[in-house]
Amino acid sequence: MTLRTGHIGLNVTDLDRSLAFYRDVLGFGVIAEGKEEERRYAFLGSLAGDGRPVLTLWQQAQGSYDEARAGLHHLALEVDSVDRVREYETALRDYGVDFAYEGVVAHREGSASGGIFFHDPDGTRLEIYAPSGAEGAPVPSATAPTCGFF
């Protein structure tokens, strides 16, 4: 048996704020929601898909993401093309998101894959990338993977 990722669970400080970001900006559909004040959560995925959650938001965090603590490094989301990455970049800029790098960057020197790197409302590091189409895009570091150090 081979394991594969089922869904990703993120602790958030404010479910309403995070839902607005993941639903309205990134386009996830809400599959289910728990609305009890002490047990708020949302299962997100593609409503056009099989109805299985891709991402679960749990309103349990007391503070923002801490990159110095063990756990999630970043969440990478794949799209089909660099043009689609740029569409997300535009939507994220309109939303006021801060980016780790300017525009689409390659994953490493000479790589065909690349994307954009940014943070969600709680500071969790996110990446939207395409497996090809980033040939010639700048690289933040010639000696290390771009996604490892933002």
Side-chain angles (χ1 to χ4, degrees):
M1 178 176 137
T2 301
L3 293 175
R4 67 177 187 260
T5 303
H7 68 272
I8 304 296
L10 297 178
N11 282 341
V12 300
T13 59
D14 181 331
L15 185 62
D16 294 327
R17 180 182 69 174
S18 292
L19 266 176
F21 178 77
Y22 285 96
R23 180 192 58 219
D24 301 343
V25 182
L26 296 184
F28 283 98
V30 178
I31 296 170
E33 227 180 312
K35 298 183 180 189
E36 293 177 43
E37 194 54 39
E38 297 300 316
R39 297 186 178 273
R40 297 198 61 214
Y41 64 88
F43 291 163
L44 306 178
S46 170
L47 295 177
D50 59 10
R52 291 181 4 173
V54 172
L55 185 64
T56 306
L57 305 176
W58 304 96
Q59 185 173 294
Q60 297 178 3
Q62 300 300 310
S64 63
Y65 176 81
D66 183 351
E67 65 188 51
R69 296 191 62 168
L72 179 73
H73 180 273
H74 74 284
L75 175 59
L77 304 165
E78 183 179 327
V79 295
D80 293 336
S81 70
V82 168
D83 288 339
R84 188 72 175 118
V85 172
R86 289 189 177 105
E87 290 173 12
Y88 276 106
E89 179 185 11
T90 298
L92 289 161
R93 283 197 192 285
D94 290 347
Y95 192 76
V97 168
D98 290 323
F99 289 82
Y101 311 114
E102 187 59 39
V104 173
V105 295
H107 278 139
R108 63 176 55 236
E109 189 73 37
S111 176
S113 65
I116 54 175
F117 298 82
F118 56 98
H119 299 84
D120 80 355
D122 283 308
T124 301
R125 296 184 288 197
L126 300 172
E127 167 188 0
I128 297 178
Y129 76 96
S132 63
E135 297 88 344
V139 180
S141 171
T143 61
T146 300
C147 64
F149 299 96
F150 74 100

